[in-house]
């Protein structure tokens, strides 16, 4: 039977992590393992996780001795994974119950390296302000050079097609760098599911600063993993910047 290894990094996640774990436990598809890598939390995160360990043997906890960031934590989880499909969920995001079953159907029908989906973006202090971010039907490496169209907590990749691949340690663009690497390999493709399968919670603190850091990370990922000329990299980054400025303007009009 086809199985999923689900990778969840955690750091000071006591407020959200129970709901995230429950959304995995409540999946209609049951053949999975959940590997939680705690990145030296200072709150009650590990205590909450340990309560789940006694209830479900499919859940595993790895405690790190030092904080190394989410990419490092995910890579440790990938190294410890045992199943064909590698899925990602952050410790403050929530899956709908049939997420894995719908993505498995896509993998069995399409020869794709990545399956992802649309998601709902929710501000943590205003649950009524939900914004749907819709996925594309199919993505190639060339498409992904423009923008990161894949939400990390929506993504699953097939190790039978691309092998185990790790996230480069590029803060704020580690997942984007991984998608570029996977799609660049053997001209792989990513298939999107239009239905939103994830609720992604946006933290309110340092939102503008986070956008600047994300832009810096995007440029670094594009510079290191975009196999195009420097001029084209600059043009692609300008496209990214203009697109994000446009989206900020549209959101202010709402």
């Amino acid at each position: 039977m086809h199985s999923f290894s689900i990778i969840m990094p955690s750091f000071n996640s006591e407020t959200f992590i129970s709901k995230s774990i429950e959304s995995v436990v409540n999946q209609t598809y049951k053949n999975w393992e959940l590997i939680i890598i705690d990145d030296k939390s200072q709150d009650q995160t590990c205590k909450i996780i340990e309560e789940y360990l006694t209830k479900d043997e499919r859940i595993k906890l790895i405690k790190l001795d030092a904080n190394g960031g989410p990419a490092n934590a995910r890579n440790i989880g990938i190294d410890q994974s045992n199943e064909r499909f590698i899925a990602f969920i952050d410790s403050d995001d929530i899956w709908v119950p049939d997420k894995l079953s719908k993505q498995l159907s896509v993998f069995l029908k399409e020869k794709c390296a990545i399956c992802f989906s649309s998601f709902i973006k929710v501000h943590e202090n205003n649950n009524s302000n939900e914004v749907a971010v819709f996925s594309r039907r199919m993505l190639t490496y060339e498409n992904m050079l423009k923008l990161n169209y894949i939400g990390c907590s929506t993504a699953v990749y097939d190790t039978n097609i691309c092998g185990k691949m790790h996230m480069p340690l590029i803060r704020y663009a580690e997942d984007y760098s991984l998608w570029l690497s996977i799609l660049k390999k053997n001209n792989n493709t990513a298939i999107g599911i239009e239905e939103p399968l994830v609720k992604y919670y946006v933290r309110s603190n340092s939102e503008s600063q986070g956008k600047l850091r994300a832009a810096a990370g995007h440029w670094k990922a594009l510079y290191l993993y975009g196999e195009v000329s420097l001029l084209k990299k600059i043009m692609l980054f300008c496209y990214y910047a203009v697109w994000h400025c446009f989206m900020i303007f549209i959101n202010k009009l709402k």
Side-chain angles (χ1 to χ4, degrees):
M1 185 179 290
H2 303 289
S3 300
F4 293 82
S5 288
I6 303 161
I7 311 300
M8 179 190 288
S10 66
F11 177 69
N12 291 347
S13 306
E14 63 180 8
T15 305
F16 303 95
I17 197 166
S18 290
K19 290 182 179 180
S20 298
I21 295 173
E22 290 289 345
S23 76
V24 174
V25 171
N26 292 331
Q27 288 296 298
T28 57
Y29 189 79
K30 301 299 183 182
N31 199 10
W32 50 261
E33 62 175 356
L34 172 60
I35 304 172
I36 306 174
I37 310 92
D38 186 73
D39 208 12
K40 195 67 175 175
S41 290
Q42 302 300 313
D43 61 3
Q44 297 299 307
T45 297
C46 285
K47 184 178 179 181
I48 294 169
I49 297 168
E50 285 164 354
E51 293 175 2
Y52 284 95
L53 301 182
T54 63
K55 300 175 187 176
D56 197 321
E57 62 182 9
R58 296 171 297 177
I59 302 174
K60 304 168 186 177
L61 172 62
I62 300 171
K63 294 182 181 180
L64 302 185
D65 295 329
N67 182 279
N72 176 67
R74 292 187 187 109
N75 289 340
I76 291 170
I78 291 168
D79 286 336
Q80 296 298 314
S81 65
N82 299 299
E83 310 301 344
R84 172 180 172 181
F85 298 106
I86 306 290
F88 299 98
I89 180 171
D90 287 342
S91 57
D92 53 359
D93 294 341
I94 296 173
W95 285 354
V96 302
D98 55 355
K99 176 185 183 289
L100 292 182
S101 64
K102 289 187 173 178
Q103 291 186 294
L104 179 59
S105 295
V106 170
F107 279 117
L108 295 180
K109 290 177 184 176
E110 314 260 5
K111 191 178 179 182
C112 60
I114 302 171
C115 179
F116 64 107
S117 77
S118 303
F119 59 91
I120 303 293
K121 188 182 290 187
V122 185
H123 198 283
E124 66 173 328
N125 295 326
N126 186 3
N127 288 336
S128 63
N129 186 19
E130 297 187 352
V131 178
V133 180
F134 290 101
S135 68
R136 292 194 169 197
R137 174 69 183 90
M138 187 181 81
L139 290 170
T140 64
Y141 174 70
E142 290 295 325
N143 300 141
M144 284 292 289
L145 286 172
K146 293 182 178 179
L147 292 169
N148 182 8
Y149 295 102
I150 301 176
C152 188
S153 289
T154 76
V156 182
Y157 76 81
D158 186 352
T159 62
N160 277 10
I161 291 180
C162 58
K164 278 190 180 182
M165 296 186 67
H166 296 82
M167 289 192 173
L169 302 181
I170 299 177
R171 203 68 186 264
Y172 303 103
E174 57 266 26
D175 56 333
Y176 179 48
S177 303
L178 175 60
W179 316 145
L180 286 176
S181 297
I182 291 175
L183 295 179
K184 181 170 58 178
K185 191 174 183 179
N186 300 324
N187 294 317
N188 287 324
T189 58
I191 300 296
I193 297 174
E194 185 176 359
E195 178 186 353
L197 300 180
V198 176
K199 274 196 173 183
Y200 165 65
Y201 282 83
V202 181
R203 302 291 182 91
S204 58
N205 55 336
S206 303
E207 194 168 352
S208 59
Q209 189 177 14
K211 285 183 171 63
L212 292 174
R213 289 172 176 170
H218 186 91
W219 167 251
K220 191 171 183 180
L222 192 59
Y223 184 80
L224 293 175
Y225 295 95
E227 290 191 353
V228 292
S229 68
L230 179 59
L231 177 60
K232 187 168 183 179
K233 289 174 184 176
I234 294 171
M235 292 173 64
L236 288 165
F237 185 75
C238 289
Y239 178 92
Y240 165 89
V242 170
W243 185 86
H244 275 277
C245 288
F246 175 74
M247 293 306 298
I248 291 171
F249 175 73
I250 292 298
N251 289 332
K252 286 185 176 180
L253 291 179
K254 292 180 180 179

